[in-house]
Amino acid sequence: SGNSSAKIIFIGEAPGKNEDLQGKPFVGQAGRLLDNLLESIGFTRSDVFIANVLKCRPPQNRDPETSEINLCKGYLFEQIEIIDPFIICTMGRYSTQLVLDTTNGINTLRGKVFKSGNRIIIPINHPAAALYTPSRLQLLKDDFARIKKVFEKIEGSQNAAAIQEGTGVEQGFTIYPVTSIQDINSEGASSNLALKRAAGSSNASPGNNEQQPLQPSANTEIASEKNEEILQAGATPQEENRQLGL
């Protein structure tokens, strides 16, 4: 949903109940927070595109299963290729693990900026997580400030592909090659077809299933859009934290 010519794509996990009913992403409290964060860096929803790893809500709003991710990921990669953004912002664990092809959790990767081909990939916290923990809200504000700095650097070059790895230090960030994830990833897995697709590889196609099945991390540190329902249900803080895995 959003601008089909957007230079920035945000990718979440899956629609929540209200999103699924309305066919729109981020319509609840997390959506209002996202709007405020975009406004804080000079953007509106009409300037960006918002997508999800899964295209419909999982039963009982459970976590996505590997088979569901593998079924839906081709549509996501096709969206990325058609829109052709400068920046991909992965929000939370599932989208980050899929696009960067890693089992690392979001807390390990957020705060870093990666480059693959003509794409910049920025893992950030999911806005819903910040609704519960004030410290995460500040981290999210920092993430968006970083997005603005990266975007301004790309705008100056008119092409993300021209941005060199290792640059950006003077703006307060460093652009890492995606291969550096090998040093972060405990399993040493390098990026493969999923990342090549996200980078707009001409050899990738949405129907190609050469990628090994995604194995989501067991780490549950990040909330997803399902948290909107926890808010609406009026759960206690203790119940919220348990359901969010916090």
Side-chain angles (χ1 to χ4, degrees):
S1 172
N3 188 336
S4 61
S5 299
K7 299 306 180 185
I8 304 178
I9 287 183
F10 291 86
I11 304 174
E13 175 188 314
K17 180 179 179 181
N18 290 332
E19 286 81 0
D20 212 25
L21 290 172
Q22 297 184 36
K24 298 178 181 179
F26 287 87
V27 297
Q29 293 188 50
R32 289 189 287 276
L33 176 57
L34 177 60
D35 290 340
N36 291 337
L37 290 165
L38 286 170
E39 184 178 351
S40 73
I41 61 170
F43 287 88
T44 66
R45 282 212 196 194
S46 61
D47 297 319
V48 302
F49 192 90
I50 303 173
N52 281 307
V53 172
L54 298 192
K55 301 309 179 186
C56 56
R57 177 175 175 261
Q60 285 75 56
N61 216 38
R62 56 163 169 71
D63 286 345
E65 295 180 352
T66 298
S67 60
E68 294 168 334
I69 293 172
N70 287 333
L71 184 65
C72 293
K73 65 186 179 185
Y75 295 100
L76 174 62
F77 298 143
E78 181 73 3
Q79 285 177 305
I80 293 171
E81 290 183 13
I82 290 171
I83 296 168
D84 193 25
F86 289 156
I87 298 172
I88 299 171
C89 294
T90 55
M91 298 186 290
R93 175 167 39 122
Y94 287 97
S95 60
T96 297
Q97 289 178 340
L98 176 63
V99 172
L100 289 178
D101 187 30
T102 178
T103 57
N104 283 339
I106 184 65
N107 284 353
T108 305
L109 297 171
R110 74 147 297 276
K112 298 178 176 64
V113 180
F114 298 96
K115 181 185 177 187
S116 179
N118 61 339
R119 306 265 192 259
I120 299 296
I121 302 166
I122 307 178
I124 67 174
N125 279 321
H126 193 289
L131 296 174
Y132 305 93
T133 311
S135 61
R136 289 176 184 258
L137 177 57
Q138 185 55 55
L139 289 175
L140 197 55
K141 289 179 178 178
D142 294 342
D143 288 338
F144 273 75
R146 188 175 301 106
I147 291 168
K148 182 179 182 180
K149 290 177 181 178
V150 174
F151 183 78
E152 288 174 346
K153 184 173 181 63
I154 294 172
E155 265 199 322
S157 302
Q158 295 299 315
N159 188 344
I163 302 299
Q164 297 298 308
E165 294 159 358
T167 62
V169 177
E170 65 277 11
Q171 287 90 12
F173 62 88
T174 301
I175 297 177
Y176 297 92
V178 291
T179 52
S180 68
I181 296 176
Q182 295 180 38
D183 300 324
I184 301 170
N185 195 327
S186 59
E187 296 185 12
S190 62
S191 60
N192 63 13
L193 187 61
L195 185 54
K196 291 176 183 176
R197 282 173 171 164
S201 169
S202 59
N203 295 323
S205 63
N208 191 327
N209 291 319
E210 291 177 20
Q211 182 190 4
Q212 294 298 313
L214 179 69
Q215 297 297 329
S217 165
N219 143 17
T220 55
E221 66 237 282
I222 290 302
S224 69
E225 283 148 358
K226 65 171 65 67
N227 305 336
E228 288 296 305
E229 296 185 24
I230 299 173
L231 284 175
Q232 294 162 7
T236 65
Q238 292 80 7
E239 290 170 334
E240 290 171 356
N241 287 339
R242 176 180 54 77
Q243 294 181 63
L244 299 179
L246 299 176

